[in-house]
Amino acid sequence: MVDSEPLVIHGLNKTFNIGQTSLKVLSHINLRVEQGEFITVIGPSGCGKSTLLKVIAGLDGEYDGVVKIGREEIHKPGVDKGFIFQEHRLFPWLTVEDNIAADLSLRNPLVREKVRDLIRLVHLEGFEKSFPRQLSGGMAQRVAIARALLRDPKVLLMDEPFAALDAFTRAHMQDVLLDIWEQNKTTMILVTHDIDEAVVLAQRVVIMSAKPGTIRSVVPVDIPHPRKRSSNEFLEVRRDVLAQLETHMLQHTEQ
């Protein structure tokens, strides 16, 4: 039996030094994400959502406090942390299967088999030899997701990965992502500005307020998948998240 390896953030503070000025962007962040949990993070622009993801990913190791997965503190990138950006960032000169393999060789039978499994997982059978220019935006992001999953990361971090997609493709990609999560049970943390997206995906919605970024509240979403956006349960949670966002923004404006 594999020991549970939760992500634990305790007393996280992050400051950027710009010339002679210090700008505190994250303040007293405390959060525990259980292994296999899916959470979304939402808040106003400038509240430090992306910075929080980069700290968890090890892309920004200069901070105060504790950020760890299991017993291992995070201060640098590693294969145990997958990261997906808003842009797919595929290599245009590589095919789908080569982009997923990244720096590993498809000549290795184990790599080739894993890439084949991931292509099935993200529903891209038949596009193995295609180049990024031949893919739609949603398909390109599916390649990016598969690439991030290649080394079986303990946590998959996503910074508004569907923001540039049209509404229909975005909804489809949310379904694809849920399907992947339900099959793999990878711990997932997704940053979004979209309240519906936050509620339709997550087991918990983390709400942040800005300047400096702080976790103001965490809303549980106890609705079974698949979730209907028109259901009373969904609309009730959506109203709760929206009301808390508006309250925090109003409090910030009055300060």
Side-chain angles (χ1 to χ4, degrees):
M1 184 176 178
V2 178
D3 291 336
S4 175
E5 292 194 313
L7 167 68
V8 177
I9 303 171
H10 181 70
L12 171 61
N13 294 282
K14 172 63 186 176
T15 301
F16 288 124
N17 295 311
I18 306 168
Q20 301 298 315
T21 305
S22 293
L23 177 65
K24 193 169 189 178
V25 291
L26 294 173
S27 177
H28 302 295
I29 301 289
N30 296 292
L31 182 66
R32 180 186 174 99
V33 183
E34 299 299 334
Q35 183 175 319
E37 189 177 10
F38 195 147
I39 71 165
T40 50
V41 182
I42 195 167
S45 296
C47 70
K49 301 185 296 295
S50 295
T51 301
L52 176 60
L53 276 196
K54 288 175 182 175
V55 168
I56 298 170
L59 298 173
D60 189 337
E62 297 183 5
Y63 59 83
D64 295 320
V66 174
V67 182
K68 62 182 181 178
I69 298 176
R71 296 180 179 179
E72 185 178 346
E73 287 202 31
I74 300 170
H75 285 282
K76 60 183 180 180
V79 296
D80 58 339
K81 300 174 287 290
F83 201 106
I84 299 172
F85 299 88
Q86 184 171 332
E87 315 86 22
H88 56 71
R89 301 196 178 186
L90 302 181
F91 299 113
W93 58 89
L94 296 181
T95 63
V96 164
E97 60 184 3
D98 285 322
N99 262 292
I100 294 172
D103 59 339
L104 301 180
S105 174
L106 286 170
R107 294 191 185 93
N108 183 324
L110 294 177
V111 174
R112 191 166 60 249
E113 182 180 2
K114 185 65 183 291
V115 168
R116 191 182 303 123
D117 290 343
L118 286 167
I119 285 173
R120 279 197 296 267
L121 185 65
V122 298
H123 310 300
L124 283 174
E125 300 97 324
F127 292 92
E128 292 88 347
K129 305 298 183 183
S130 299
F131 290 91
R133 66 178 181 275
Q134 298 170 312
L135 305 177
S136 68
M139 293 168 73
Q141 279 296 51
R142 279 187 265 166
V143 177
I145 292 170
R147 181 173 61 186
L149 291 171
L150 179 67
R151 290 180 170 88
D152 296 314
K154 294 176 182 176
V155 59
L156 183 61
L157 304 157
M158 295 166 280
D159 193 1
E160 299 195 68
F162 310 141
L165 304 178
D166 63 83
F168 178 82
T169 305
R170 185 170 188 155
H172 173 65
M173 287 301 301
Q174 291 163 2
D175 290 340
V176 169
L177 187 61
L178 279 173
D179 185 43
I180 292 168
W181 173 68
E182 287 173 347
Q183 290 189 54
N184 279 26
K185 287 303 180 199
T186 303
T187 305
M188 294 190 179
I189 303 176
L190 182 141
V191 160
T192 182
H193 278 99
D194 187 312
I195 296 175
D196 282 10
E197 182 168 82
V199 176
V200 82
L201 291 174
Q203 294 174 294
R204 291 187 294 155
V205 179
V206 176
I207 299 174
M208 293 183 65
S209 59
K211 297 181 181 179
T214 307
I215 294 177
R216 289 299 187 183
S217 52
V218 179
V219 178
V221 188
D222 297 320
I223 307 172
H225 291 291
R227 294 171 180 167
K228 293 185 178 179
R229 299 169 194 247
S230 59
S231 71
N232 290 332
E233 295 88 350
F234 184 93
L235 294 173
E236 183 177 345
V237 175
R238 187 187 188 282
R239 280 193 295 269
D240 187 11
V241 172
L242 180 59
Q244 295 198 46
L245 272 171
E246 290 176 340
T247 298
H248 300 326
M249 290 177 71
L250 182 61
Q251 289 173 346
H252 176 71
T253 304
E254 291 175 345
Q255 288 176 355

